[in-house]
Amino acid sequence: MTDYYIPERPDTRTWVIHPEVKNDQNRREPVAALAEAVALAHALPGLEIKGSEIVRLPKRHPGMLFGTGKIEELGTRLKQNEIELVLIDGHVGPVQQRNLEKEWKVKILDRTGLILEIFGDRAATREGVLQVEMAALSYQRTRLVRAWTHLERQRGGLGFVGGPGETQIEADRRAIDEQLVRLRRQLDKVVKTRALHRASRAKVPFPIVALVGYTNAGKSTLFNRLTGAEVMAKDMLFATLDPTMRRVVLPTGDEVILSDTVGFISDLPTELVAAFRATLEEVLDADLVLHVRDIGHAQTVEQAREVESILSSLGLSDDTPKIEVWNKIDTLPEDSREAALERAARTENVSAVSAITGEGMDALLAEISEALGGVKHVEELMVPFAAGRKRAWLFEQGLVEADTPTEDGHKMQVRWSAAQKARYERL
C-alpha cells in the first residue's frame, strides 16, 4: 500500500489594522486595542501575523472606510508582504468590504467576523455549535445587502406576483431565514433541556456561583484551581466557550456549584450576545457572581467596565451578590503587588488571588462562604397548601423558626439570607 504525502497547508499571511477614528464615541485606547486585536488573531489557528498597525482617520469613508491616499499606501505595504488576509479591528460594512477586497486583492475580515470564526473553531457542545451557527447566519444576512455583484442577477419567475421574478439576493436571504428558523427550533429544545437542568438544580440545596470576566482574565485557571477539574486554560482569548459546572466544598463544609462561562470582550458582536443568551442565562440564575479581573492588565479598569455593562444588558439583578476577584497578582512587581493586596483587604467584596500559585484561595473561599451565608433576617411567609415542595425545601435548609397551619396554607417564620430567599423564589 502506497503512503501518499499530503503537504501541510501554509498559514495565511495576515495583517491587522486598528482604525482610530477621530471623535468616535466608542473609541478605545489605540495601542491596547491593537494589542487585543492581534491577540484575537493569534487565537484563530492557521494565521501567520506578518504585521499590525494603527491607522488614524478623521472620519469613516462610506465606500472604502479609508481615504484614497491611505488605501494606496496600505495596498503597497500589503503587496510587499504578500498578505492574503487583512483583519480590521472594527465594523466594516458589506460595501466597504467588497470595495477593499477588490482594491487590495485580499480577503477582508472585520472584528465581528473574526470573533465568529474563533467561536466556530472552539464550540464543542451541540448547544455551542448551534449558537455559533445562528450568530454566523445573522451576520451573513447583513452581508447580502449589495455585497456581491453575482447576487444582483434575477431568477426566472412567471411574474404573476411581485414583478419580474425573485432576485438572487432575495432567494439567498430567504434561504438564510429558513435555516435560522430551523436552528432556532433546535436551540429551543436545548434551551428547554438547560431550563430543566436548572429546575432540577434548584431542588438540590446547592447555591450556584458563576465565574464571569473579560476573556483571558484567568477564569478557567481559577475554576481548575478551585474544583480540581481540567478545563482547557491557555494564555489565549476565548480559550473556553462552553459552560462547565463542578461541585466545590467550602471551608464551612457547605457545598456550592461553580460555573465557568464564556469570557466577555469589548464590542462583543450583538449577534453573539443574542445567540449565547441561553448560555449566559446561567449567570442570571447564580446566587453569587465572581467577577474575575486580570489585575495586572494595563486596561483592567476598562475591561471591568465592559463586563459590568454586558452583565447589565443581560439583565443581572443589582441584588445578586458579587465578589471582585483580582487575579494574576503574581504577575505584578513586588511594590504594586503589596499595594494591590492592601487595597483589596480594605475594599468590601474584593479578593486578591493568583490562580496559578494558589495564593489567596483560602481567603476567597472564606469570602464566598460569608457572601452566601450573608446577613440573615427574619421574615414571615404564607405558603399555600399546593406549594408543598417549597415548604419542604425550607425545612431541608433548616430555615424554619415557626410553622402555623391556617385556612389558606402555612404561616411560616423563617430566618434566611438574601441568597437563600432568591433560591426559594426560583423554586
Side-chain angles (χ1 to χ4, degrees):
M1 183 176 171
T2 309
D3 288 329
Y4 292 98
Y5 170 69
I6 302 173
E8 281 189 21
R9 188 178 167 190
D11 289 344
T12 305
R13 296 171 70 87
T14 305
W15 198 269
V16 183
I17 296 173
H18 172 72
E20 171 69 2
V21 185
K22 190 179 178 184
N23 300 326
D24 192 340
Q25 289 182 339
N26 299 321
R27 225 164 130 195
R28 292 176 290 148
E29 203 283 312
V31 175
L34 180 64
E36 183 177 276
V38 171
L40 275 172
H42 280 299
L44 187 63
L47 301 186
E48 182 187 1
I49 315 302
K50 300 304 291 182
S52 61
E53 61 184 295
I54 297 163
V55 176
R56 289 177 169 80
L57 303 171
K59 64 174 185 176
R60 295 177 189 273
H61 290 260
M64 301 282 270
L65 184 62
F66 307 105
T68 312
K70 185 55 73 174
I71 283 179
E72 196 175 318
E73 179 194 325
L74 287 167
T76 304
R77 192 143 54 246
L78 298 176
K79 196 171 181 181
Q80 285 171 347
N81 288 277
E82 299 176 353
I83 299 302
E84 302 163 276
L85 171 68
V86 174
L87 300 176
I88 299 179
D89 183 36
H91 174 72
V92 179
V95 176
Q96 293 170 332
Q97 181 179 342
R98 182 195 62 186
N99 290 342
L100 287 173
E101 286 182 343
K102 194 174 174 182
E103 186 70 32
W104 289 341
K105 309 284 190 296
V106 297
K107 174 71 182 158
I108 303 287
L109 206 56
D110 70 357
R111 184 180 176 86
T112 300
L114 175 59
I115 293 174
L116 283 170
E117 288 283 345
I118 295 167
F119 273 48
D121 181 64
R122 300 280 165 72
T125 64
R126 177 68 182 144
E127 181 182 15
V129 171
L130 285 172
Q131 287 169 330
V132 170
E133 281 183 26
M134 273 188 65
L137 283 170
S138 300
Y139 175 71
Q140 284 169 20
R141 194 182 188 283
T142 66
R143 307 272 113 182
L144 293 180
V145 185
R146 293 164 57 205
W148 297 283
T149 51
H150 80 276
L151 296 180
E152 291 166 5
R153 67 178 184 272
Q154 291 184 325
R155 290 175 56 207
L158 295 175
F160 296 132
V161 180
E166 181 182 46
T167 62
Q168 184 64 42
I169 191 170
E170 287 163 351
D172 284 10
R173 190 179 289 129
R174 185 166 49 78
I176 284 179
D177 286 341
E178 287 169 1
Q179 179 66 0
L180 276 170
V181 169
R182 280 196 295 273
L183 286 173
R184 204 165 279 121
R185 282 186 192 137
Q186 292 177 54
L187 190 57
D188 282 344
K189 289 180 186 175
V190 178
V191 170
K192 282 175 186 170
T193 306
R194 188 177 280 284
L196 287 171
H197 288 168
R198 279 204 293 269
S200 64
R201 280 201 302 272
K203 295 176 190 175
V204 179
F206 296 152
I208 308 288
V209 178
L211 292 173
V212 301
Y214 208 80
T215 183
N216 211 29
K219 293 184 308 303
S220 295
T221 308
L222 180 64
F223 182 85
N224 291 343
R225 169 70 66 172
L226 291 173
T227 63
E230 292 182 359
V231 172
M232 178 183 168
K234 284 189 176 180
D235 183 15
M236 180 191 288
L237 301 186
F238 298 121
T240 50
L241 286 188
D242 298 299
T244 314
M245 294 194 162
R246 293 286 187 279
R247 197 172 62 171
V248 175
V249 181
L250 299 175
T252 55
D254 296 323
E255 295 181 12
V256 299
I257 295 172
L258 193 64
S259 171
D260 187 16
T261 61
V262 61
F264 298 158
I265 196 166
S266 58
D267 299 332
L268 188 68
T270 52
E271 294 91 351
L272 275 179
V273 173
F276 274 76
R277 197 168 195 90
T279 304
L280 295 170
E281 275 172 2
E282 294 287 355
V283 177
L284 304 185
D285 275 343
D287 298 289
L288 174 65
V289 171
L290 299 187
H291 176 182
V292 184
R293 290 174 54 183
D294 176 356
I295 202 63
H297 196 284
Q299 300 292 307
T300 184
V301 175
E302 289 79 2
Q303 290 180 353
R305 205 176 291 132
E306 196 67 45
V307 171
E308 293 294 342
S309 170
I310 294 172
L311 288 175
S312 177
S313 70
L314 286 170
L316 183 71
S317 169
D318 291 336
D319 297 332
T320 305
K322 263 188 274 191
I323 295 175
E324 263 198 17
V325 182
W326 292 359
N327 191 26
K328 304 191 184 183
I329 55 166
D330 55 302
T331 62
L332 296 173
E334 189 59 35
D335 53 343
S336 302
R337 183 176 161 282
E338 289 303 322
L341 288 169
E342 283 178 26
R343 197 149 47 95
R346 288 197 310 269
T347 312
E348 194 178 356
N349 298 327
V350 170
S351 196
V353 304
S354 166
I356 290 288
T357 65
E359 183 180 358
M361 288 298 146
D362 291 341
L364 174 59
L365 287 170
E367 198 156 345
I368 291 171
S369 298
E370 190 179 333
L372 290 172
V375 178
K376 299 198 174 183
H377 61 281
V378 176
E379 197 170 330
E380 277 197 353
L381 302 175
M382 178 56 75
V383 183
F385 290 120
R389 191 164 69 83
K390 282 190 166 187
R391 181 168 171 266
W393 185 87
L394 290 169
F395 276 107
E396 283 170 12
Q397 297 295 297
L399 306 176
V400 181
E401 294 197 339
D403 181 19
T404 310
T406 67
E407 290 182 3
D408 302 318
H410 289 267
K411 187 179 179 183
M412 305 181 75
Q413 185 174 292
V414 297
R415 182 184 292 275
W416 57 11
S417 66
Q420 288 167 326
K421 181 179 179 179
R423 279 214 306 289
Y424 170 80
E425 288 171 349
R426 287 204 302 270
L427 286 172

